[in-house]
Amino acid sequence: MALAFWVDGRPGSVASAMCAHDEYLSLFAYHLSGGRGRGGAPRHFRLTPDDDFYSAPYCFMPKHRRGGFLVFTTRVPWLHGNPLGEADRAHDRARETMESRGKYEKPFLGTVEKFMVDLGLKERDVYTFTDDGCYPTQRDISQALEDRAVEVTCAAMGWKAPTDWRQVRKKEGETHGMPLLDLADWDKRKRSNEGPDDDDDETRDDAARSSKDDKQRVVDRQEEKKDEFQC
């Protein structure tokens, strides 16, 4: 399962896409948990990267010179439905809720492959965010992955990457009273579980080199494809 959110060069567009994903994930969790409990109170259900249905940023797919789609995939991207069908119904209801009373635009649902076909894209046209270009695993999901999603998306389109998108997300986000995982807490939990690492400095150096290489690859691909997108 993949979720596609529109982004363009307008100020706040990337932050809005992140907010839209937060809102959708909250509504999906709400409907997946069965809605409201006694007295109409929301059930306390929060998806985490431990759950197969949790979705994280995977790639950017350009549509034309003005914008494209920020795509999120579930931890098991081919997971469509389950034995009782609760997930499919929860996705349908989450989209319906966003359409009727959501703050942000609902996502397009499908698969990465279908989105590529619909947009007429090849693999070389898709800007992935993980180190290996594969769907994000539990280990990949972090604040660093979100930061790379913002940086790579903006670099691909020649936009200035916003530095305040997390503050905007915190201020403008809407979760309809449902708890939402803060990946800062998730990162702390991972570090705590992993324990001290003697290779921390080397890991940070590798991450810095990876980020620099990502940006250079984007620049190189932009030069190759300058005239390919039709306005």
Side-chain angles (χ1 to χ4, degrees), residues 73-132:
T73 58
T74 57
R75 276 193 50 217
V76 184
W78 53 89
L79 190 61
H80 183 64
N82 54 21
L84 299 179
E86 293 98 334
D88 285 343
R89 289 193 292 272
H91 278 299
D92 290 340
R93 290 169 182 167
R95 291 185 79 250
E96 290 169 2
T97 303
M98 281 191 78
E99 185 171 25
S100 63
R101 56 187 181 87
K103 182 174 181 179
Y104 295 96
E105 289 292 324
K106 66 181 185 295
F108 292 93
L109 300 186
T111 64
V112 169
E113 293 76 17
K114 186 176 188 305
F115 292 154
M116 289 174 62
V117 170
D118 290 345
L119 293 170
L121 301 177
K122 304 296 184 183
E123 284 190 13
R124 65 188 179 88
D125 303 316
V126 176
Y127 299 85
T128 55
F129 307 139
T130 54
D131 291 334
D132 56 8

Side-chain angles (χ1 to χ4, degrees), residues 57-64 67-72 112 116 121-134 145 148-158 213-226 228-229:
Y58 166 61
C59 70
F60 172 67
M61 294 187 181
K63 182 177 182 181
H64 46 56
F69 294 94
L70 186 57
V71 178
F72 294 71
V112 169
M116 289 174 62
L121 301 177
K122 304 296 184 183
E123 284 190 13
R124 65 188 179 88
D125 303 316
V126 176
Y127 299 85
T128 55
F129 307 139
T130 54
D131 291 334
D132 56 8
C134 296
L145 179 64
R148 182 174 292 186
V150 172
E151 291 172 2
V152 171
T153 295
C154 292
M157 297 302 291
D213 291 343
D214 285 339
K215 292 178 181 178
Q216 186 58 50
R217 281 195 292 271
V218 168
V219 171
D220 293 342
R221 290 166 70 182
Q222 282 180 313
E223 291 299 320
E224 294 173 1
K225 304 189 301 176
K226 273 184 179 178
E228 290 188 12
F229 303 135

Side-chain angles (χ1 to χ4, degrees), residues 129-196:
F129 307 139
T130 54
D131 291 334
D132 56 8
C134 296
Y135 295 119
T137 64
Q138 184 189 54
R139 185 175 181 84
D140 293 315
I141 298 172
S142 63
Q143 285 189 306
L145 179 64
E146 291 184 324
D147 289 335
R148 182 174 292 186
V150 172
E151 291 172 2
V152 171
T153 295
C154 292
M157 297 302 291
W159 305 329
K160 181 179 179 180
T163 58
D164 63 344
W165 70 269
R166 287 193 185 279
Q167 292 91 324
V168 173
R169 179 196 210 177
K170 184 175 182 179
K171 180 180 178 181
E172 303 294 337
E174 175 58 72
T175 62
H176 300 270
M178 291 294 291
L180 185 70
L181 175 69
D182 186 338
L183 283 181
D185 295 334
W186 178 258
D187 287 345
K188 290 178 183 177
R189 173 185 157 183
K190 285 200 302 183
R191 288 194 295 268
S192 176
N193 290 341
E194 290 171 358

